[in-house]
Structures are given as structure tokens and as C-alpha cells.
Amino acid sequence: MQTAADAGDAAALLAAVPAGRRVALVDPRFVGHVHALRLGLTDPRFAAATVPGALTAQPEARGALLRALRRTTAAVGAGAPVVAPDTDPAPEDRTVPGRIAVALEAEGTAVKRPELGSLTATVPTDTGARAAAESARDAVDDETVRLRSAVKAHDGFFTTFAISPYSRYIARWCARRGLTPNQVTTASLITALVAAGAAATGTRGGYVAAGILLLVSFVLDCTDGQLARYSLQYSTMGAWLDATFDRAKEYAYYAGLAIGAVRGGDDVWVLALGAMVLQACRHVVDFSFNEANHDAVANTSPTAALSDKLDSVGWTVWARRMIVLPIGERWAMIAVLTALTTPRIVFYALLIGCSLAACYTTAGRLLRSLTRRASRTDRAAQALADLADSGPLAQGVAAVAPGLRGAFTAPAVALLGTLVMIGGALFLPYGSWFTVAAAAVYVVLSGLAVARPLKGALDWLVPPFFRAAEYVTILVLAARSDVPHAVPAAFGLVAAVAYHHYDTVYRIRGGTGAPPQWLVRTIGGHEGRTALVAVLAAVLTHASGFTTALTALAVAVALVVLVESIRFWVSSSAPAVHDEGELA
């Protein structure tokens, strides 16, 4: 820390700091909470941020900061006081940091202004104002605010009332001992994998231990996010770990339950894969709807207004959060049922509960979309195209086919293709080449669905339809094959593909765009993989080679997407964000 005599001296000191470092400018008369400064000056997610009397800039915004500071110095004089005339628009903008923040925004650099709530951050200009600011600061314990703000604002009932009241203190304990969110995330993953291993024993003691360990894993899962918010430790690696480990933990646990059930004489692999497919499809509905609408113009809807009105009534908020079976309620249900019942009952409960939740959320989103008057942006259309995961076959059809017009054409065509594909897998004789013909029709319809930009009211349904077609086709063909271990191999294939789809979502959320096209082409796109599985089922009818082929395909897809994903998330281009998690 260095003290500048005036604005000109501050410019010289900042210019001398090595280019790769973050810099901060704080008015020496600043009065406020330490956590207010922490929020304004240490969050790594933003190139520039400010609170009244203080400003920070990451290396990428350093140049703009110095230019703005030099312009301010030229305007008021190098030795001028740090307070500008009272004609400035806002008191916080009359300090040098405030004036520079305004100048940065005028130049086009986004400046984050974090919400401080009850925290104090101000620059008093006289003795009376300083006394009032110090009194306001002393009246609020910033550690209490820091602990409270570490908890996610919108969470499920179980997490809010059964986990967060004590997990926040675990987060503080971790912070004071130098533990990082990534370490806690890894501990949560390891605990969940041990829980899956306990479930795989197939014994009552193993099931009880599995249920307890799954709850412990969830406590740690809540703790890592709270630790990140408490200590503002957001990182690129943390974004990747947190974005993917929740799904890895849950699906590994499904596999553990299925293995344990087989050891007990009950094969529930089809139910396990069905639960994973349903959960993944629920998530893609959430992702697609949000990406299609979060930056839409004139984004209003009577249904949304009714939803906001319901949220103003306390009990309806919790009822609506619980009915979607968020991760807290879902994992609590899985843990309790694992300890007390059998894997089959666990999967039945999951399938019924998640199906009801999916119907509720999808119906609400359909109503919002049909009643919403919104113009969707090019960015939203590109996000939906990326989420569609179209490979070279569908892209080839889209390139030569004229775009089909009509407000609901794209989702209707995608739905027709999905019904043709799933219907062929379900009702045509297993191993029939007619199923391959159905896959060819699916390829053509998939290309037609994405031949025009996805800007229609219901075009957000296109990616979920494609996910359902691919995942369910793999499930059905493996289940109908009667080949030993085909369904576990299909479980691995769907898990590998689902990882790719989740990875795509979180890259788009981070603002860096979808995975490169070479990756999508290499793994075939959704239509290519679906057609390939149909061909394998026809060529390897009732042969153990079908299991081998599914396993090889799963390993190949997993290797390609994991290597490229890890390369991206540990690179400097990955977004420094922390995933807040999904209610569903």
C-alpha cells in the first residue's frame, strides 16, 4: 500500500505497478466496513469494480484506468484536491475513484458496483459527516453481514433451513484455516464417491452408510459455495469443478445403487439410466429456457406477473421451490430412502418425483412463452443453436435445405423427429434396419429444425427434444438388446455425452461461447451418435459385441470431451465465475 499526495502522484504510482497485477485506488478519507472494501476490491470476476471512495482494476482494465486518471488529473490539475465541485451528479462521484469510475464507463469499460446492503462505504467531507458515517459503521457488525451474505439468496427449503444455518460456520472455519472452495468441492466429490461405493455393497449397513455420507457430501457441497462467497475466492478451476461435480456425484451414486441392487438379486440398471436421462432432460429445459429469454427485449408475460405475485406470499415461495424437487430435497429423499428401503424404491421415487416436477416447470415455461411478447436476440439464437449440439449430418441438411417458416415450426419438426426416433426404437423389431431408417429420418428432421435461427416463442424446446431423442434411444435399444451389461454400458455413454452438454451450458453462461466446432464434429453431434447406436444395434443384434461397442463409444466420447474441457477450464480464457447451482 502506498499513499499518493494528489491525483498526479496517484497516476505515477499506479503506472509503476507491474502490468500483470490488480491495482486499487482508495480515498484516504474512506469510512466503512472492511467487508465493503472486500466486496469492491477483491472479487476476481470483474475487470473493474467500485464502491463509494474506492476503485479497483484487473490487468485487462489497467490501461483504461490510467487513461481515465490522467484525464481527471488534466481536468482538475495534478495537485488539485480529491473532491470535485458540488455540481457533480452524485456525492460518491466527487471523489477521484468515483470520477474515474464514471470515466471508465463512458469509455466503455464495465464497472461493477456490488450491492452493499447494510454495510457502510462513504467518503465524508466534514467532521459531522465523518461522525455519522463512523456511527453507522459501528452499528452494523460486518462479520454477521459477511456470514449472512455467504448463503445463496434463493435456495430450496431443505437447504435453507436444514443445511445453511450451520454450513456457513463450517465455511468460515475453512476460510480461517486457509482452505479453498476447490478443496472443499473435491472433498464433497470424494465423500459422494465413497457413498456410492457403500451403496454398491448391496448390504443394509452399506445402504445406511451411503445415505449418511450422501448427506455429508451435500453439506460440503453447500459449504464450498458459501466459502467462495464468504472469502470471495472465485476461480476458473472452481467454476469447472462446481459446474460438473454435482452431476458426477449424483450419477455416480445412481450407478452405486444399481450395482448394489444387482448384488442383492434385483437388476435396476434401466431405472438408474432412466433417472439420469430424466434429470439431464430437466436441466436442459431449464438451461434452454433461460438462455432464450434472459436478454430478450420487451420480455413481459401475464404468467410471469402472476408468478411474481405468488412470490409475494411467503408460503407459496417455499411450496413452489419444493415442488420442483431441487437438489437439496432430492438428495435428502435419496439418502433417507437408501437407508430405509431398497434401490428400486429409490429410483421409483426419483422417477415419479422428477416427472411431476418436470411437468410443473415445463408447463409454466410453456405458458410464459406463449403469453410473452418478446423479441429474442441473435445471442440467444446462437446459444440455442449451440445447445442443440448439431453435428455434421444435421448441419449438412441445414446447409442445403431452405429454412422452414412459421412461429412454431422448429420445435414441431424437432418433436416429430424425436417421436419418429424413439418410436422406432420402442416399437420396431429390435435390430431391424427400419430403426436405422427412422434414424435417417431423424437426421433430416434435425437439420430442418435448425435451418433457421431459433428465435421463435417455443424454439427453446428444440435442444430438450434432441436430448430426449438421443438419451432415450440409447436407453431403449440397450434395454431391448437382452445383451449382458448393455444397459450399464449405455449408462456410461449417456453420462459421457451428458458431461459434454453440461460443459456447453457452463461455457455459454461464462460468456465464452460453446466448445469448438471440431469437438462437436469429432463426437458426431446428437444426430450422428443416435444414428450410430441404431446402426450398431442392427449390425450386432443380440451379440455381446453391442456391449463392447457401446463401451468403446462411451470411452472415446469421454476422452475427447474431458481432455478438451480440462484444457479449456484451466486456461486463462475460462470465465472466473462460481456456479450458483440450479434449483432443479
Side-chain angles (χ1 to χ4, degrees):
M1 185 189 312
Q2 298 188 63
T3 303
D6 50 40
D9 189 26
L13 290 173
L14 288 175
V17 177
R21 294 184 183 177
R22 171 203 292 268
V23 295
L25 189 64
V26 182
D27 192 294
R29 300 162 302 165
F30 175 87
V31 174
H33 290 98
V34 173
H35 193 53
L37 278 180
R38 189 181 289 115
L39 289 171
L41 303 182
T42 65
D43 196 324
R45 296 174 295 177
F46 312 108
T50 187
V51 293
L55 173 72
T56 186
Q58 296 269 41
E60 60 267 30
R62 286 273 304 275
L65 170 64
L66 283 173
R67 289 192 298 272
L69 180 56
R70 285 165 180 157
R71 286 197 303 273
T72 301
T73 301
V76 302
V82 293
V83 180
D86 289 340
T87 54
D88 280 355
E92 62 268 24
D93 291 340
R94 293 201 293 268
T95 65
V96 168
R99 291 171 64 91
I100 294 173
V102 173
L104 283 173
E105 291 175 317
E107 186 178 310
T109 300
V111 180
K112 174 67 176 178
R113 289 177 166 81
E115 293 289 336
L116 299 181
S118 59
L119 295 174
T120 296
T122 186
V123 178
T125 57
D126 56 51
T127 304
R130 172 170 288 274
E134 290 174 345
S135 176
R137 179 196 62 195
D138 296 341
V140 175
D141 179 22
D142 68 344
E143 179 61 20
T144 300
V145 174
R146 188 181 180 188
L147 267 176
R148 185 171 63 246
S149 60
V151 177
K152 191 164 58 178
H154 304 290
D155 224 329
F157 182 88
F158 178 78
T159 304
T160 299
F161 295 103
I163 304 296
S164 293
Y166 59 87
S167 62
R168 70 184 75 183
Y169 295 101
I170 300 175
R172 182 171 67 180
W173 182 89
C174 293
R176 290 177 175 177
R177 282 153 183 81
L179 297 177
T180 67
N182 293 351
Q183 291 170 333
V184 178
T185 302
T186 303
S188 176
L189 174 66
I190 293 172
T191 305
L193 293 179
V194 174
T201 63
T203 64
R204 177 53 51 195
Y207 289 149
V208 171
I212 294 171
L213 288 170
L214 188 65
L215 288 177
V216 173
S217 175
F218 183 65
V219 172
L220 293 174
D221 182 58
C222 295
T223 301
D224 67 354
Q226 291 165 359
L227 174 58
R229 287 182 285 272
Y230 179 85
S231 57
L232 298 178
Q233 294 185 74
Y234 304 101
S235 68
T236 55
M237 179 64 76
W240 175 65
L241 294 177
D242 201 58
T244 56
F245 277 14
D246 277 355
R247 303 288 78 77
K249 288 181 287 190
E250 187 166 1
Y251 299 155
Y253 192 82
Y254 292 176
L257 280 176
I259 294 171
V262 169
R263 288 186 170 179
D266 187 15
D267 190 344
V268 296
W269 271 108
V270 171
L271 297 179
L273 180 50
M276 181 167 69
V277 167
L278 179 56
Q279 192 58 30
C281 288
R282 283 185 66 201
H283 280 134
V284 78
V285 168
D286 297 339
F287 298 146
S288 294
F289 179 81
N290 291 334
E291 289 303 322
N293 291 288
H294 89 275
D295 62 350
V297 180
N299 196 3
T300 60
S301 162
T303 309
L306 175 61
S307 177
D308 293 339
K309 187 175 181 180
L310 288 174
D311 280 344
S312 66
V313 182
W315 69 269
T316 66
V317 175
W318 298 115
R320 294 173 69 215
R321 290 185 189 177
M322 292 175 68
I323 201 172
V324 300
L325 204 62
I327 188 171
E329 277 75 358
R330 190 169 68 250
W331 282 29
M333 180 185 73
I334 294 171
V336 172
L337 290 179
T338 298
L340 300 180
T341 64
T342 65
R344 181 172 290 273
I345 293 176
V346 173
F347 287 124
Y348 281 155
L350 267 174
L351 289 168
I352 293 171
C354 289
S355 295
L356 293 175
C359 290
Y360 170 79
T361 55
T362 304
R365 284 164 182 166
L366 284 171
L367 286 173
R368 290 190 183 203
S369 299
L370 291 172
T371 59
R372 175 176 278 146
R373 291 178 173 83
S375 299
R376 288 164 179 82
T377 63
D378 292 337
R379 191 217 64 82
Q382 184 59 53
L384 290 179
D386 292 334
L387 289 173
D389 192 34
S390 299
L393 297 178
Q395 290 176 358
V397 172
V400 300
L404 298 175
R405 297 183 180 275
F408 308 118
T409 302
V413 172
L415 175 60
L416 178 60
T418 298
L419 294 176
V420 167
M421 188 66 254
I422 295 177
L426 270 173
F427 301 114
L428 291 173
Y430 176 78
S432 168
W433 284 95
F434 286 112
T435 306
V436 178
V441 173
Y442 174 66
V443 168
V444 173
L445 293 176
S446 297
L448 293 176
V450 297
R452 289 177 63 83
L454 298 176
K455 291 188 175 183
L458 296 179
D459 285 0
W460 57 270
L461 287 169
V462 171
F465 285 149
F466 290 163
R467 292 299 81 74
E470 180 179 5
Y471 297 166
V472 174
T473 297
I474 296 172
L475 166 61
V476 170
L477 292 178
R480 294 187 65 195
S481 68
D482 289 328
V483 175
H485 310 302
V487 179
F491 188 97
L493 176 57
V494 172
V497 175
Y499 174 85
H500 164 61
H501 291 143
Y502 283 113
D503 186 51
T504 300
V505 165
Y506 288 108
R507 294 198 200 195
I508 294 173
R509 281 185 168 185
T512 56
Q517 273 298 304
W518 69 260
L519 175 67
V520 177
R521 289 193 297 268
T522 299
I523 60 176
H526 70 92
E527 80 291 348
R529 292 186 298 271
T530 305
L532 177 58
V533 173
V535 170
L536 291 174
V539 172
L540 303 172
T541 306
H542 301 299
S544 59
F546 186 53
T547 297
T548 303
L550 288 179
T551 304
L553 182 58
V555 171
V557 171
L559 283 176
V560 172
V561 300
L562 279 172
V563 169
E564 199 284 328
S565 176
I566 293 171
R567 180 211 61 79
F568 169 80
W569 285 103
V570 300
S571 71
S572 59
S573 61
V577 299
H578 182 81
D579 175 47
E580 290 292 333
E582 295 299 315
L583 272 182

